[in-house]
Amino acid sequence: MSSYKDITSPELIKDIGSLHPINNMKDSIMDLLASIGFEIVDGPEIETEEFNFDMLNIKKSHPARQMHDTFYVEGKSNLLRTHTSPVQIRGMLEKKPPLAFISGGKVYRKDDDATHLPMFHQVEGIYVDENVSFAQLKDLIYKIIHSLFGNDVELRFRPSYFPFTEPSAEVDILSKDGKWLEILGCGLVNPIVLENCNIDSNKYSGLAFGLGIERIAMLKHGVKDIREFYKSNLDFLSQFK
Amino acid sequence: MKIAYSHLIGCINENPTVDEMSDRLFQLGHEHEIYNNIFDMEFTPNRGDCLSVNGLLRDLGVFYTINSNKDIYQEAIDKLSIDFENLSKEVCPKISFLKLEIDKLPEIYCGDLKNYFSDLGINTNNFFTDISNYLSYETGQPTHCYDANKINSKIIFEEIQYENEFETLLDKNISLKEKNAVFLQNNKVINLAGVVGGKSTCCSDETKTVIVECAFFNPESIIGKSVKYDIQSEAAHKFERGVDPECHDDVLRRFVKIASEHAVIKSLSLVTHNYQDKARHKILIDIKKINQIIGIDISKDKYISHLSKLGFDIDGLFINVPSYRSDVKTQNDLAEEVARVIGYNNIPSTEIKIPKNISQYDKGIENKIRSFLLDQGFYEVINSPFVNLKNNNCIKVDNPLDSNRRYLRTNITSSLVENLLFNERRQKDSVKLFEISDIYSSNNGIHKQRNLALIASGRVGLNYEDFSLKINEKYLMNLFKKIFPDQIFNFQAVSRNDLDTKNKSEILSLELGVEDFSKNILEYDAVSKPPIDFIQYKPISELPSSFKDISYSIKDYNKAEELQELILGFEHKILNNIFIFDYFKNEKQNEIKIGFRFIFQSRDKTLTSIQIDKVLNDIISKSLKISGIEIPGYNLD
């Protein structure tokens, strides 16, 4: 009688889905910042001009407030938030310093091309305490960039301009092909913004930063066209397991 | 703004290379690209003072010795008598007029004027307009040239609030609406202030007597006008960002000097109307505050030295802010100036220690459901909220990007139906998607609800146990019972009648507020984990895919594993995916039947059956070399 080795059935490969790569990237950045001490706060996507612009020292005449840059809704009574900063404004109005908030989510601007979409995602953070300095901001930015791109990545800080921070900076990393790529914007919170939130700017100072999630995800995953993220194409999504 | 390296280097003693200068410009915060030794500058909106050669040189003075060799007309100039009235002094607090007559028009240009047009490849216009354009480039101050022979009555400056027609010097007719700052002659607009001059009074190739207007306009009155009237205006770009109110005399004397290099000046007169004596802004010297903001420890001498390099000077206890730096008002502004001189990259970082907060954000239920759905083969998607369908209580976008999508969606399911059809058109026969998003509606105010929606259709899965099972209500009910034992879910069948599809598979959906899910969730051990490493995405093909199935009969059980390894490990550039869709072990007949599905797709062309068969035959011939294996019905010859 011949004997044979019985085999088990073929491995039953369970079909597992995937998180959306943008949500996954957002979550991992938020988790990192939460581990540093930031509290995650949430806010509405439909905002008022007061919270989206005025409180952030973005003047009435600022180009960002024009109809060609911002989506207004319901007879201009409200708008689709152009950044997640209003969430932090709401947070600062509710709590007293020291405070450290991060907020992440969808934001809207009137753009549409291979690198910009009318809807995209941001993670922004703010830390307000006594004696918060630009030197501390640099340390925080190094921590964020190193966790995203590794400790060996070369980065540079460039002076920039945002109405809600002063001094302001943009941060670039050096890509493998020798090009500087802009990664995030940051700065010390403009004392006007602190005062708008009833925080004594003589006693307290703050730092703030903001990252565009799609930009980071495009760099990390090698996606060249931002629109790929939003086609809901299973051939695309199934690559991010 | 384009600035030629050659125009900068002529005023710098140290002779830096283009790359060295580029590094310095980045340190100062002036982003740019370089083409053919021309810096294509992108200045931040607060630095209107840098929108010129002289402005950029002022900043480069931090690193280099600047030797501006731009001569101005030094002689006394007669006072111009001009019939002018300013009815909106708050909009234009300072304005100067220069009247200049030359003997004849030059045939060729020389010196800086010539270099400007030739080095930057700019077309010339007429003599006086060319000087005006060059001076805007050199000094940052836009000026406007009127043909003096066309100014024959009183000029009025006013911010009007009535409609008016205006023909620009670029032959464009515009209807002025709402508030506009304008110059009027005989009640007709002759100049849209700070944006573009008018056809009726502009200079021509014949003009030998010019009236040059040099003004300071309140930026708030100019902002948005060039966009509103669709006019490309470099002048507006500068006025919107603020110009130097104290530069009029130097700029107009420079105008005269350049004109005199090309023609004989026959007559010359100048007048300045200054309605508002603006003292220069002063900021208290506070080294401690500056050190605290930046996180450094510099001495007062160093502090003053840094600021003096940028044109700031000391006045007792105060820092005097230069007239061209309207953006500097506070200690934080001064801190930024000091930090720019030091270089942001040269400021040492200090360890940040944020006190750990107690209340951590808990996405509990949402993340549990996400994780569970992932394990059941669902893919998370994100859709745009802009839709064309108007539902009750939906919010209307006032200024949509696409007029066909002017409403915000009031449900997620409609987006998921579109996603499902998109994937079915790409030959996907098992589609399971979900999305979690805030949904907004309007009913006596704006309401927000966080919804979770899912959609599913086709095969339960692609493995051999799920392949022949179709998604239906029972399947979804059983799925959700695993973690929500006491909640009944109302899965909706989506009719295909109104959908553009020939597919017959049942579509099921569910949409619920996240808050409406039962809090009684059974503990669930997630199988799927977010990827640890970041995946390098492989571009996907937009071309159709094809599949082929092969079923093997295996009599010698020992060979089954060998066959699987061979088939599943087979690689070819047009072979997109291989999986086992069928498996049956018949103990009585001592036989295993195993079916493989091969998905073919090319990135650059639609595949022919010959190309597919070639790969398939290769697989078959290799697999049949394993003894005891056959493909029922397949003839090896």
Side-chain angles (χ1 to χ4, degrees):
Chain A
M1 191 177 151
S2 67
S3 68
Y4 61 82
K5 182 187 146 208
D6 197 5
I7 60 154
T8 54
S9 311
E11 187 190 354
L12 191 66
I13 298 164
K14 198 164 159 45
D15 292 306
I16 286 175
S18 67
L19 291 178
H20 194 280
I22 294 298
N23 277 343
N24 192 35
M25 180 65 72
K26 176 170 71 85
D27 290 350
S28 59
I29 293 171
M30 303 269 275
D31 287 348
L32 165 80
L33 292 164
S35 74
I36 293 172
F38 285 90
E39 181 184 350
I40 298 173
V41 289
D42 214 349
E45 289 167 28
I46 297 183
E47 265 294 357
T48 60
E49 281 201 272
E50 183 189 11
F51 280 93
N52 195 75
F53 293 132
D54 298 340
M55 297 286 278
L56 286 152
N57 193 36
I58 302 171
K59 297 197 166 67
K60 290 258 186 275
S61 54
H62 194 283
R65 298 181 73 143
Q66 305 292 313
M67 294 286 274
H68 54 84
D69 277 322
T70 298
F71 289 108
Y72 287 89
V73 297
E74 300 290 270
K76 240 197 146 191
S77 62
N78 285 284
L79 50 80
L80 301 186
R81 67 180 180 188
T82 58
H83 44 190
T84 48
S85 309
V87 184
Q88 292 153 43
I89 294 289
R90 290 175 187 279
M92 283 196 285
L93 286 169
E94 276 176 24
K95 287 195 176 177
K96 297 279 170 232
L99 51 85
F101 297 135
I102 40 167
S103 52
K106 292 172 187 163
V107 298
Y108 301 88
R109 292 182 198 171
K110 285 190 77 177
D111 278 322
D112 201 0
D113 59 41
T115 52
H116 300 88
L117 280 181
M119 177 192 79
F120 59 102
H121 293 73
Q122 277 191 338
V123 169
E124 289 186 292
I126 193 167
Y127 169 47
V128 180
D129 203 343
E130 291 181 35
N131 298 318
V132 174
S133 70
F134 190 80
Q136 288 175 313
L137 170 66
K138 281 190 72 175
D139 185 55
L140 176 66
I141 299 302
Y142 273 110
K143 285 187 167 96
I144 296 171
I145 301 252
H146 284 164
S147 88
L148 283 171
F149 297 98
N151 289 334
D152 297 331
V153 71
E154 195 176 333
L155 66 155
R156 74 174 179 191
F157 288 75
R158 283 184 289 110
S160 190
Y161 173 74
F162 307 109
F164 33 87
T165 52
E166 188 72 34
S168 303
E170 282 180 301
V171 182
D172 304 328
I173 61 164
L174 192 61
S175 69
K176 282 176 190 154
D177 56 0
K179 281 185 186 161
W180 287 103
L181 305 169
E182 187 190 320
I183 293 297
L184 58 82
C186 59
L188 288 199
V189 181
N190 193 320
I192 296 169
V193 175
L194 294 179
E195 294 292 339
N196 286 345
C197 297
N198 308 320
I199 293 172
D200 180 358
S201 65
N202 290 316
K203 186 176 178 189
Y204 295 104
S205 50
L207 58 81
F209 57 90
L211 304 92
I213 303 301
E214 279 79 354
R215 179 153 183 76
I216 309 259
M218 285 170 83
L219 284 171
K220 292 290 299 183
H221 297 305
V223 176
K224 298 275 183 273
D225 190 331
I226 192 170
R227 290 169 288 208
E228 294 291 344
F229 288 113
Y230 300 109
K231 286 181 180 167
S232 304
N233 185 339
L234 285 172
D235 287 330
F236 177 84
L237 297 171
S238 60
Q239 294 190 34
F240 298 95
K241 289 184 186 176
Chain B
M1 180 188 183
K2 292 181 173 56
I3 296 183
Y5 165 75
S6 59
H7 301 169
L8 296 167
I9 199 70
C11 303
I12 295 174
N13 287 356
E14 286 84 354
N15 210 26
T17 64
V18 174
D19 288 342
E20 285 165 352
M21 201 185 285
S22 170
D23 286 346
R24 296 305 198 187
L25 289 170
F26 272 112
Q27 172 172 335
L28 292 165
H30 303 314
E31 215 177 333
H32 59 270
E33 292 186 14
I34 307 168
Y35 305 101
N36 302 322
N37 284 356
I38 290 169
F39 293 107
D40 192 356
M41 307 296 304
E42 198 178 310
F43 294 108
T44 53
N46 61 326
R47 294 305 306 275
D49 64 296
C50 284
L51 289 163
S52 65
V53 172
N54 290 355
L56 204 52
L57 284 169
R58 280 193 297 252
D59 250 32
L60 285 168
V62 168
F63 309 107
Y64 307 120
T65 315
I66 305 301
N67 178 20
S68 181
N69 50 12
K70 310 297 181 197
D71 292 337
I72 61 169
Y73 183 79
Q74 299 283 4
E75 308 298 316
I77 300 177
D78 291 341
K79 186 167 181 185
L80 170 66
S81 171
I82 186 169
D83 193 3
F84 171 72
E85 188 176 7
N86 187 341
L87 297 177
S88 300
K89 297 184 178 70
E90 69 292 348
V91 176
C92 175
K94 187 173 180 180
I95 187 163
S96 303
F97 293 100
L98 167 79
K99 188 170 182 182
L100 175 75
E101 184 185 1
I102 55 170
D103 64 334
K104 60 176 181 181
L105 291 160
E107 287 177 9
I108 53 164
Y109 292 163
C110 61
D112 292 328
L113 192 60
K114 176 189 165 205
N115 294 340
Y116 167 64
F117 289 101
S118 60
D119 294 347
L120 293 172
I122 296 171
N123 292 332
T124 57
N125 199 317
N126 60 66
F127 180 51
F128 291 118
T129 302
D130 288 344
I131 298 178
S132 173
N133 288 343
Y134 169 65
L135 272 183
S136 178
Y137 170 75
E138 181 190 297
T139 69
Q141 172 68 40
T143 51
H144 179 66
C145 296
Y146 300 95
D147 185 329
N149 293 327
K150 296 174 186 169
I151 300 294
N152 40 38
S153 59
K154 186 177 187 176
I155 300 176
I156 293 173
F157 173 79
E158 187 181 8
E159 189 169 61
I160 57 171
Q161 292 205 54
Y162 49 84
E163 290 192 12
N164 214 314
E165 295 301 312
F166 171 55
E167 186 181 6
T168 75
L169 52 80
L170 304 168
D171 298 326
K172 180 175 180 167
N173 288 301
I174 53 177
S175 299
L176 301 175
K177 288 187 179 117
E178 299 162 339
K179 256 189 201 177
N180 292 287
V182 296
F183 290 85
L184 299 148
Q185 182 176 245
N186 300 322
N187 290 324
K188 279 192 70 179
V189 175
I190 57 166
N191 184 358
L192 178 59
V195 183
V196 66
K199 182 90 174 166
S200 62
T201 55
C202 69
C203 289
S204 69
D205 290 338
E206 317 288 314
T207 306
K208 286 197 278 188
T209 308
V210 66
I211 293 174
V212 186
E213 164 226 308
C214 181
F216 178 86
F217 299 114
N218 182 351
E220 307 278 321
S221 303
I222 308 298
I223 286 171
K225 296 290 188 289
S226 59
V227 174
K228 183 176 175 181
Y229 298 118
D230 191 22
I231 296 167
Q232 293 279 334
S233 168
E234 203 181 304
H237 188 73
K238 289 177 175 169
F239 282 122
E240 285 175 354
R241 284 155 180 77
V243 293
D244 180 4
E246 291 183 13
C247 73
H248 292 194
D249 196 56
D250 280 356
V251 168
L252 292 174
R253 283 175 177 276
R254 179 79 178 129
F255 193 108
V256 177
K257 180 70 185 171
I258 294 170
S260 74
E261 288 168 358
H262 293 82
V264 173
I265 308 286
K266 286 178 73 179
S267 66
L268 188 61
S269 49
L270 171 69
V271 69
T272 295
H273 301 283
N274 196 357
Y275 307 103
Q276 217 178 64
D277 252 337
K278 223 176 164 184
R280 281 171 69 181
H281 193 69
K282 290 173 192 291
I283 304 172
L284 188 71
I285 295 173
D286 188 347
I287 316 286
K288 193 178 160 200
K289 184 76 179 169
I290 298 297
N291 279 330
Q292 183 264 307
I293 291 169
I294 307 175
I296 51 172
D297 185 18
I298 58 165
S299 65
K300 184 177 177 184
D301 286 349
K302 203 83 186 159
Y303 167 72
I304 289 168
S305 156
H306 287 337
L307 288 180
S308 65
K309 286 178 182 170
L310 287 166
F312 293 79
D313 55 45
I314 306 300
D315 182 6
L317 296 173
F318 295 90
I319 295 287
N320 252 335
V321 178
S323 58
Y324 48 84
R325 291 302 304 273
S326 57
D327 60 311
V328 178
K329 295 186 178 80
T330 65
Q331 295 294 340
N332 281 56
D333 294 328
L334 286 178
E336 180 168 280
E337 295 306 295
V338 171
R340 285 198 313 129
V341 175
I342 296 170
Y344 280 17
N345 291 314
N346 302 324
I347 296 167
S349 57
T350 306
E351 191 179 2
I352 188 166
K353 284 181 184 158
I354 297 173
K356 296 274 178 191
N357 70 81
I358 302 143
S359 64
Q360 279 297 340
Y361 184 75
D362 182 21
K363 274 193 170 175
I365 193 165
E366 194 173 308
N367 278 346
K368 273 184 191 164
I369 303 172
R370 278 169 97 204
S371 177
F372 172 74
L373 288 172
L374 245 53
D375 279 356
Q376 310 310 319
F378 281 79
Y379 288 85
E380 187 179 34
V381 295
I382 300 175
N383 281 290
S384 161
F386 303 109
V387 293
N388 61 351
L389 219 59
K390 187 184 178 185
N391 290 324
N392 283 342
N393 303 330
C394 70
I395 290 171
K396 186 179 173 189
V397 179
D398 300 330
N399 53 339
L401 205 54
D402 174 357
S403 58
N404 290 322
R405 290 184 177 263
R406 56 167 61 248
Y407 302 101
L408 297 186
R409 61 180 177 173
T410 49
N411 68 75
I412 301 174
T413 304
S414 304
S415 308
L416 294 182
V417 171
E418 284 183 30
N419 300 156
L420 174 96
L421 295 179
F422 173 86
N423 281 291
E424 284 183 350
R425 284 195 291 272
R426 294 178 60 86
Q427 295 93 40
K428 296 288 175 281
D429 54 7
S430 173
V431 182
K432 294 193 267 185
L433 307 170
F434 76 98
E435 182 175 0
I436 301 174
S437 180
D438 292 339
I439 295 296
Y440 294 86
S441 58
S442 171
N443 185 10
N444 291 326
I446 288 169
H447 298 281
K448 169 184 157 183
Q449 179 170 308
R450 192 155 181 80
N451 278 10
L452 183 148
L454 62 84
I455 199 160
S457 183
R459 301 182 192 283
V460 167
L462 297 182
N463 66 54
Y464 59 88
E465 278 192 357
D466 294 339
F467 192 77
S468 56
L469 304 175
K470 289 282 184 177
I471 291 167
N472 54 27
E473 191 179 2
K474 191 178 165 197
Y475 159 74
L476 290 173
M477 293 276 226
N478 289 337
L479 214 63
F480 272 72
K481 256 193 191 140
K482 288 182 189 172
I483 58 167
F484 293 103
D486 56 3
Q487 187 167 5
I488 304 221
F489 293 97
N490 185 18
F491 295 98
Q492 298 285 318
V494 178
S495 165
R496 285 188 181 266
N497 291 345
D498 299 327
L499 303 178
D500 180 19
T501 174
K502 287 178 184 164
N503 196 316
K504 302 270 187 250
S505 301
E506 189 179 4
I507 304 173
L508 287 155
S509 71
L510 174 73
E511 180 153 0
L512 215 55
V514 171
E515 288 295 313
D516 297 327
F517 280 88
S518 162
K519 305 293 177 284
N520 180 22
I521 302 182
L522 291 185
E523 268 317 307
Y524 170 72
D525 244 351
V527 176
S528 60
K529 300 273 182 252
I532 297 165
D533 291 323
F534 286 97
I535 294 137
Q536 273 303 301
Y537 151 76
K538 295 188 192 93
I540 47 182
S541 174
E542 294 300 325
L543 296 165
S545 63
S546 304
F547 70 86
K548 292 278 181 183
D549 295 338
I550 306 178
S551 287
Y552 289 90
S553 164
I554 306 170
K555 295 285 186 190
D556 180 353
Y557 287 6
N558 288 317
K559 301 294 181 185
E561 204 172 342
E562 191 182 341
L563 177 71
Q564 282 175 54
E565 276 175 20
L566 174 81
I567 301 281
L568 297 177
F570 199 89
E571 286 184 4
H572 193 279
K573 63 179 179 184
I574 64 165
L575 196 50
N576 218 1
N577 194 15
I578 312 166
F579 57 87
I580 299 170
F581 72 93
D582 189 25
Y583 174 82
F584 178 66
K585 189 174 180 183
N586 191 336
E587 300 275 7
K588 281 185 189 165
Q589 293 189 13
N590 198 23
E591 182 189 28
I592 289 174
K593 283 198 170 173
I594 185 163
F596 293 91
R597 175 158 287 194
F598 302 86
I599 312 283
F600 294 91
Q601 193 177 30
S602 164
R603 288 211 183 116
D604 46 27
K605 56 191 169 192
T606 303
L607 295 171
T608 62
S609 55
I610 296 170
Q611 288 169 309
I612 291 170
D613 287 347
K614 197 177 166 196
V615 178
L616 209 60
N617 289 337
D618 188 27
I619 295 168
I620 290 169
S621 67
K622 280 179 179 151
S623 60
L624 293 183
K625 282 181 184 162
I626 300 171
S627 60
I629 283 174
E630 61 181 48
I631 301 170
Y634 181 79
N635 185 353
L636 201 56
D637 302 325

